[in-house]
Amino acid sequence: MVDPANTVGIPVNPTPLLKDELDIVIPTIRNLDFLEMWRPFLQPYHLIIVQDGDPTKKIHVPEGYDYELYNRNDINRILGPKASCISFKDSACRCFGYMVSKKKYIFTIDDDCFVAKDPAGKAVNALEQHIKNLLCPSTPLFFNTLYDPYREGADFVRGYPFSLREGVSTAVSHGLWLNIPDYDAPTQLVKPKERNARYVDAVMTIPKGTLFPMCGMNLAFDRDLIGPAMYFGLMGDGQPIGRYDDMWAGWCIKVICDHLGLGVKTGLPYIYHSKASNPFVNLKKEYKGIFWQEDIIPFFQNVKLSKEATTVQQCYIELSKMVKEKLSSLDPYFDKLADAMVTWIKAWDELNPPATA
Ligand SMILES: O=c1ccn([C@@H]2O[C@H](COP(=O)(O)OP(=O)(O)O[C@H]3O[C@@H](CO)[C@H](O)[C@H]3O)[C@@H](O)[C@H]2O)c(=O)[nH]1
Ligand SMILES: [Mn+2]
């Protein structure tokens, strides 16, 4: 069993931050033994396990974890016809966990991601760092060259406008990966042995107006601020594309965060990504995305949401109309995706009715 961080002996966190306000969402087709290594950091939290693939397969959850588990039969039972918007046989299924959660925060992690070690050899509590990132403001309107100004031992540098130092609320915390980096299939094929050993001790806000490739394997977000936009699209079984689930969601949440004045951070924490998925299988899943994204990115770069769109749902519905209007000519898939975006919002609102006044 991979144990690069040696968390044995670290006591389970006695007073975990946001213990009752955060759910951990794990998509899986494998087993969940990786949770043994995370026990000191994750055991106090509630897990939402989204079991993909064969629903008759029994997934073993290590003792001592509090969890709820949903397989495809559960998704179909809960959502009925709206289950069509939840992907099958792709990690995109994880977004069902975001929808059924009742908590303010989500941390999602893949089952082949382990506890990393920092350069001093200390086990990285990735969840704790994500929580710090989310509870601290972001600075999308003006770049701070000393990175995260709210961090102990750092601050805003000379020339940083004081009117902007309050920052904005942080909606998303995007963590990184040691060992197997999240490369696309062509890069994986050209550099099969490349491993990421570079631990960059920094957290940065992604500037307003800039898109980024969001990876879903080590990601946290504020569900109340941006949850309805965290739809991971139509991927996997029956779809012409895969492994663009997190990318699609990342482009949607970023244009909506920019519009609503919310922040997105990337950098710490690192996890240790242990399994390289098959590059040839990945190429088959990704190749249309690699081609289409040359049109998709300019689409998102030119998105202008109306001033009437003041909620995430309103922004997302507006975005779905733009997808239908401007991307369906690229491929009929986007017509289907635009409809699925609407279905997702309807399902989200059904499961998460606004709190009665
Ligand atoms: O059909 C599937 C395949 C996998 N899963 C679960 O999803 C995650 C990620 O799977 P895996 O580690 O095999 O794939 P990676 O290539 O490393 O994943 C990265 O690529 C992105 C593709 O979307 C993904 O977000 C990244 O993390 C594991 O937990 C599998 O068990 C699944 O549910 N269904
Ligand atoms: Mn993986």
Side-chain angles (χ1 to χ4, degrees), residues 30 110 112-113 217 273 275-277:
R30 306 182 181 118
D110 290 2
D112 65 342
C113 295
M217 78 170 103
H273 185 207
K275 249 179 73 58
S277 39

Side-chain angles (χ1 to χ4, degrees), residues 27 30 52 89 91 110-112 217 243 245-246 273 277:
R30 306 182 181 118
D52 195 15
K89 294 190 179 171
S91 61
D110 290 2
D111 60 16
D112 65 342
M217 78 170 103
R243 288 172 54 82
D245 49 328
D246 37 9
H273 185 207
S277 39

Side-chain angles (χ1 to χ4, degrees), residues 210-285:
T210 301
L211 296 169
F212 76 113
M214 185 174 83
C215 172
M217 78 170 103
N218 172 22
L219 181 73
F221 60 91
D222 184 320
R223 218 175 141 267
D224 290 353
L225 290 180
I226 199 65
M230 273 287 180
Y231 175 45
F232 274 38
L234 286 177
M235 303 282 153
D237 198 39
Q239 306 301 339
I241 186 172
R243 288 172 54 82
Y244 268 80
D245 49 328
D246 37 9
M247 299 297 145
W248 181 261
W251 298 327
C252 292
I253 63 102
K254 189 58 172 61
V255 295
I256 292 172
C257 282
D258 287 351
H259 177 73
L260 296 178
L262 300 170
V264 178
K265 290 178 182 175
T266 188
L268 300 178
Y270 282 85
I271 51 85
Y272 182 93
H273 185 207
S274 70
K275 249 179 73 58
S277 39
N278 183 307
F280 295 100
V281 171
N282 289 348
L283 187 55
K284 268 175 73 176
K285 293 178 179 178

Side-chain angles (χ1 to χ4, degrees), residues 124 141 227 235 307 347:
V124 174
L141 303 178
M235 303 282 153
K307 63 181 186 323

